[in-house]
Amino acid sequence: MERRDFIKTAALTAGATLAAVDLLRGQNAPTAPAAAPAKRPVALVGIATAVAPLAGPDLPKVLDDMQQRGGVNAVFPFVYNHNQDRSGIAADRLRGGNFAIPHLQYYKDTNFTYDDMRAPDYGELDLLATVIPQAQRRGMKTYAWILEDNQRPPVAHWEPLYEIDFHGRRTTRHPSGPCNNNPLYRNYLLGLVEDYARSYAIDGIMWGSERQGGLFNAIGAYHGGARSDPGQAACFCEFCLKKAKDQGLDAERARQGFGELEKYVRAGRAGQRPRDGYAVAFWRLLLNYPELAAWENFWVRSRNDLQADLYKRVKSVNPALPIGWHIWHNVSFSPFHRAEMAYAPMAAYSDFVRPVLYSNCAGERIKSFIASTGQNVFGDTPPDEMLRVLYEQLNYQEAPYDQVAAAGFSADYVQRETKRAVDDLAGTSVQVWPGVGIDVPVAAGTNQSTPASVKADVRAAFAGGATGILLSRNYIEMKPENLAAAGAALRELGVG
Ligand SMILES: [Zn+2]
């Protein structure tokens, strides 16, 4: 039986499947089984992948595997990166950059040369020119997937793009990164999306920036945040200072506030509880220096401005070409970051959003968030109780503190977070394509994906109202049986 016929048959026979098909059509669409499969919009089933599997002679086999095993109809290669996992190249051999060809007419207002941008790792390979026709032959789409590097790339010309901390030092890595207001970075990114849109028959672009502003970085409010340097809150570069001044913000007061915040965080990490407690001391800081919150909001609005400009640039080339955003997993753990990442306002400059909803590593990650913020703003509450409070604040029903790393988060989390995005974007044309995690690497003793958990997560995404899905976070990390479980769940749902 052809796969398409199988889906039709499944759609006609399974009540649960019809419900899923209705979700794709719109909640209240009448059920019309005979005509439905042909008219039903095809849900995007994407897969994020490192460059390596696409760069060699196995490309046809790899695309076949994605399609046949995982039910994938769109491939999202990490097309521009300097990262071991995202390239699939060992760190000691990796240079990275643009694995497609930079066309220099789009980078006139940058400081980059061809060699600064071009990834030399695979010689003459032009990743997009190679992948797109092979994908098209199989009825698959190709999205250019651009994720900011976590470390400053080993190319001198990246240095002046990076944020300046409040002590006046250039930053080098996450949680900082290139500055949203730096014209060299903006022009580079605008040129990059225009280059991909004009030079290649891509089907869309996804961009991601796994960052937030200086206030939340300083208190380490993200998974892994206990390692953050509270002295590196940013950005105080000349471009931010000018834009902030034009908006009436007081950079000097913000700088002073960050100095006090640094002392507060360092004291907390040294176990010195403020006399009135961590929460009171934090709120007192915010009252004395409201510029801290203003600087955080300024950072996020500046990134929104950049996203809106990227959207406009892509639409100026091809109004039908979709562009959307990867949403950092921190939205799942930090009520602070969630507050600044409302979905509804994104509708003005988005065709789709891809919230990261990796369940297997989420338990480990939320514990890491508590381990960090538990040394300052949440330091008054024992970690196990704090997790319970966070579940209420974030609307989860997940395992208790001592079990959650081994248990991971459930499919219920995937459904709730999908629905939250769908509800916030209701009435807009923005698609919600959750990133469902398959074998995201975790520490020993932490929850591992299984075929059953992957199936449950895929079902949960569509039950939450998703109109597509991104199998994540990287094809090269996925066990075949778990990718197959995603494919099986999609077939059962009649999706794809
Ligand atoms: Zn800046």
Side-chain angles (χ1 to χ4, degrees), residues 105-432:
Q105 61 269 36
Y106 304 116
Y107 305 95
K108 285 190 187 126
D109 300 321
T110 77
N111 62 337
F112 288 121
T113 66
Y114 178 89
D115 288 336
D116 288 335
M117 293 184 278
R118 169 70 171 153
D121 308 76
Y122 288 108
E124 297 301 308
L125 174 83
D126 179 338
L127 184 75
L128 292 177
T130 304
V131 169
I132 289 169
Q134 291 273 355
Q136 284 177 339
R137 203 166 298 153
R138 292 164 175 76
M140 294 169 77
K141 295 180 172 177
T142 305
Y143 278 65
W145 172 199
I146 309 160
L147 179 58
E148 287 183 338
D149 282 304
N150 290 342
Q151 277 187 299
R152 200 163 75 200
V155 176
H157 286 181
W158 275 94
E159 197 264 346
L161 279 60
Y162 266 62
E163 293 178 316
I164 303 280
D165 71 27
F166 72 92
H167 290 296
R169 300 168 300 196
R170 184 78 69 185
T171 59
T172 61
R173 58 161 298 126
H174 193 269
S176 284
C179 174
N180 300 309
N181 291 321
N182 186 314
L184 289 175
Y185 184 51
R186 295 172 65 83
N187 292 336
Y188 150 78
L189 260 187
L190 289 163
L192 183 63
V193 296
E194 180 168 358
D195 189 356
Y196 288 154
R198 285 197 194 276
S199 308
Y200 298 99
I202 54 170
D203 297 285
I205 295 174
M206 183 167 77
W207 182 72
S209 162
E210 297 190 325
R211 292 195 283 147
Q212 57 191 351
L215 171 60
F216 299 158
N217 284 342
I219 60 172
Y222 58 98
H223 45 292
R227 296 189 300 268
S228 74
D229 179 348
Q232 291 218 330
C235 176
F236 287 81
C237 77
E238 58 179 304
F239 309 106
C240 285
L241 292 178
K242 166 139 196 349
K243 185 174 175 182
K245 189 175 177 199
D246 291 346
Q247 296 183 9
L249 299 179
D250 188 335
E252 206 36 54
R253 284 282 306 169
R255 206 187 290 273
Q256 289 168 21
F258 277 113
E260 294 303 311
L261 185 65
E262 180 181 1
K263 286 186 217 161
Y264 163 82
V265 172
R266 290 199 190 286
R269 288 183 183 170
Q272 296 160 11
R273 185 172 188 271
R275 190 164 47 246
D276 288 343
Y278 287 103
V280 169
F282 180 69
W283 279 104
R284 196 168 281 153
L285 259 174
L286 282 185
L287 293 173
N288 288 337
Y289 296 97
E291 296 82 4
L292 287 170
W295 215 254
E296 176 69 33
N297 190 239
F298 171 67
W299 191 97
V300 170
R301 282 188 288 107
S302 293
R303 188 174 60 190
N304 295 350
D305 292 346
L306 174 57
Q307 290 171 290
D309 284 351
L310 291 170
Y311 180 85
K312 265 186 255 159
R313 180 65 63 92
V314 168
K315 299 301 170 185
S316 76
V317 176
N318 178 0
L321 190 67
I323 178 166
W325 322 109
H326 163 91
I327 307 292
W328 189 23
H329 208 183
N330 196 27
V331 168
S332 287
F333 315 126
S334 169
F336 308 112
H337 189 50
R338 181 177 288 189
E340 67 186 0
M341 291 292 291
Y343 288 108
M346 297 180 196
Y349 52 83
S350 311
D351 292 308
F352 64 90
V353 294
R354 180 269 198 132
V356 168
L357 301 180
Y358 308 161
S359 62
N360 76 289
C361 62
E364 177 187 68
R365 289 182 175 186
I366 200 166
K367 281 185 80 172
S368 170
F369 172 79
I370 289 174
S372 177
T373 50
Q375 297 181 75
N376 48 68
V377 62
F378 291 150
D380 303 314
T381 310
D384 54 338
E385 290 178 37
M386 194 62 232
L387 182 62
R388 202 172 42 74
V389 172
L390 271 183
Y391 285 165
E392 301 210 357
Q393 292 184 356
L394 300 170
N395 188 32
Y396 300 150
Q397 292 184 333
E398 298 298 332
Y401 186 82
D402 58 347
Q403 296 166 29
V404 71
F409 272 16
S410 66
D412 180 64
Y413 150 72
V414 174
Q415 181 166 341
R416 285 168 186 246
E417 274 300 277
T418 301
K419 183 171 188 309
R420 194 173 66 81
V422 168
D423 287 350
D424 212 19
L425 289 163
T428 77
S429 60
V430 182
Q431 305 285 305
V432 177

